[in-house]
Amino acid sequence: MAQQAGTRNRPLSPHLQIWRWGPGMLSSILHRATGIAASVGILVLLWWLGALVSGPAAYAKFAAVAGHPLGILVLVGISYSVIAHGVTGIRHFVLDTGAGYELEQNKLWANVCTAAGFVLTALFWAALLLR
């Protein structure tokens, strides 16, 4: 008897429970998460620019919020998101060219990109705070 179209046994994707976390997976997920966080960070940038053109009182309010420890933490998070997204974006661009898929090379560059996001953010804030 002939099978109907679409009823053949097809391979199923493996369930998430059998996947092992690896550097490439972490780097890819961080790329997506930092993209979302950087997009949300645009709202803070717009608030800053709006306060800048609205006058001294509005800017003083923004500066007070941004200077609070929680505000600084948010600004560090936003800067990490932009920097890490940029670094992992370069990695994804290289992967899109077809290069870097060898297992050891992929692991190496995933680890380098993940670490570079933290290092470059620390250097950025050190340059800001130590000037």
Side-chain angles (χ1 to χ4, degrees):
M1 174 152 117
Q3 292 184 344
Q4 293 179 348
T7 61
R8 294 181 300 168
N9 289 334
R10 296 183 179 192
L12 300 175
S13 296
H15 193 271
L16 289 175
Q17 291 176 339
I18 70 166
W19 287 99
R20 287 188 1 221
W21 277 89
M25 185 184 293
L26 175 65
S27 179
S28 185
I29 290 171
L30 278 177
H31 180 70
R32 289 169 175 82
T34 56
I36 292 167
S39 298
V40 172
I42 290 173
L43 298 175
V44 176
L45 174 67
L46 291 175
W47 179 25
W48 173 65
L49 291 173
L52 196 60
V53 299
S54 296
Y59 189 76
K61 182 176 181 179
F62 174 82
V65 172
H68 187 273
L70 188 57
I72 293 172
L73 183 64
V74 168
L75 292 175
V76 169
I78 291 169
S79 60
Y80 167 75
S81 295
V82 171
I83 292 167
H85 190 72
V87 171
T88 56
I90 293 168
R91 176 180 173 267
H92 277 277
F93 178 73
V94 171
L95 290 173
D96 287 344
T97 66
Y101 280 104
E102 296 79 20
L103 189 57
E104 290 305 314
Q105 187 178 13
N106 193 314
K107 285 181 182 180
L108 170 71
W109 286 108
N111 285 329
V112 166
C113 289
T114 302
F118 290 106
V119 170
L120 291 174
T121 302
L123 290 173
F124 172 75
W125 279 93
L128 282 179
L129 297 175
L130 298 176
R131 59 182 172 100

